[in-house]
């Protein structure tokens, strides 16, 4: 006998079904934005730098002192300026003060010192006496007016002399201090009186001092 025919091969299995399509891969996540950098800060301001002090100039070498001058005498100071005398109240009537003093111890012009009272009296009360332009007048320094005569420097009494030719001539010249010529105080004699015109002397200048002359009335 023949062998039995081979059995037919078993049917091949159906081809495997294709696998289901794989799901699409997940989309990648969106890219993250790059991390924002912090805002750039300005660089910190530095304090202004202090100016560097300039180096001190070099010290010059010491200069030797000049030679001292020879000793001299101290300078002469100028005199102090003139200072007016201190103010003093006005003097009483008829009195005055001397220059540089504040004491009213002299008689002013027009007055004379009366020794009996020690006060200054007016010369206007004395006929034939002129002391308007004098200060410190005393009886001895009184000036007799022309046409008047007095006996001595100790007397303030005057006598009117003769006047002739309409009062243009008189033997009593006056206008001189009687104390200038002590010989003129003689009442009579050969000496000319200090208050008399030339050639006259004696009381009221009515004595002729030259020989061979007489006083005509």
């Amino acid at each position: 006998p023949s062998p039995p025919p081979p059995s037919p091969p078993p049917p091949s299995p159906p081809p495997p079904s294709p696998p289901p399509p794989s799901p699409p891969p997940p989309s990648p996540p969106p890219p993250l934005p790059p991390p924002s950098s912090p805002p750039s800060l300005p660089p910190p301001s530095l304090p202004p730098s202090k100016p560097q002090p300039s180096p001190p100039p070099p010290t010059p070498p010491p200069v030797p002192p000049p030679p001292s001058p020879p000793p001299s005498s101290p300078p002469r100071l100028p005199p102090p300026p003139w200072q007016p005398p201190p103010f003093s109240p006005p003097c009483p009537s008829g009195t005055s003060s001397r220059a540089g003093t504040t004491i009213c111890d002299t008689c002013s012009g027009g007055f004379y010192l009366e020794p009996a009272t020690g006060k200054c009296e007016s010369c206007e009360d004395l006929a034939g006496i002129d002391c308007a332009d004098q200060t410190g007048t005393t009886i001895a320094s009184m000036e007799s007016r022309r046409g008047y005569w007095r006996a001595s420097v100790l007397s303030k009494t005057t006598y009117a002399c003769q006047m002739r030719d309409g009062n243009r001539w008189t033997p009593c010249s006056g206008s001189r201090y009687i104390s200038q010529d002590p010989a003129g105080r003689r009442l009579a004699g050969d000496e000319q009186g200090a208050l008399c015109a030339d050639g006259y002397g004696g009381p009221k200048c009515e004595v002729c001092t030259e020989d061979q002359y007489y006083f005509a009335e």
Side-chain angles (χ1 to χ4, degrees):
S2 70
S7 62
S12 50
S17 61
S22 61
S27 62
L32 294 176
S36 62
S37 61
S40 62
L41 297 176
S45 60
L46 298 177
S49 61
K50 295 182 180 180
Q52 295 296 328
S54 59
T59 305
V63 178
S68 58
S72 60
S73 58
R76 183 176 298 176
L77 297 177
W82 179 84
Q83 296 290 338
F87 173 78
S88 59
C91 295
S93 176
T95 62
S96 180
S97 60
R98 302 177 212 183
T101 66
T102 58
I103 303 175
C104 304
D105 58 350
T106 187
C107 296
S108 57
F111 292 81
Y112 73 98
L113 180 63
E114 173 56 59
T117 61
K119 297 181 179 180
C120 296
E121 305 289 347
S122 175
C123 293
E124 294 181 354
D125 301 332
L126 303 177
I129 297 296
D130 184 11
C131 64
D133 297 332
Q134 297 173 248
T135 58
T137 301
T138 63
I139 292 180
S141 64
M142 285 178 173
E143 187 175 358
S144 299
R145 296 178 186 272
R146 177 179 176 274
Y148 289 87
W149 178 89
R150 63 182 179 137
S152 73
V153 294
L154 303 178
S155 174
K156 61 184 178 181
T157 303
T158 59
Y159 301 89
C161 301
Q162 291 195 34
M163 304 289 289
R164 299 179 185 176
D165 296 337
N167 294 337
R168 290 182 297 177
W169 180 89
T170 177
C172 302
S173 58
S175 300
R176 287 186 290 175
Y177 293 108
I178 196 172
S179 60
Q180 292 177 350
D181 185 4
R185 296 197 297 269
R186 298 184 180 181
L187 300 182
D190 296 335
E191 300 291 337
Q192 175 186 344
L195 301 179
C196 302
D198 292 342
Y200 296 87
K204 298 173 63 175
C205 303
E206 295 180 359
V207 175
C208 295
T209 59
E210 299 182 7
D211 295 337
Q212 307 300 322
Y213 287 89
Y214 70 94
F215 187 82
E217 295 291 341

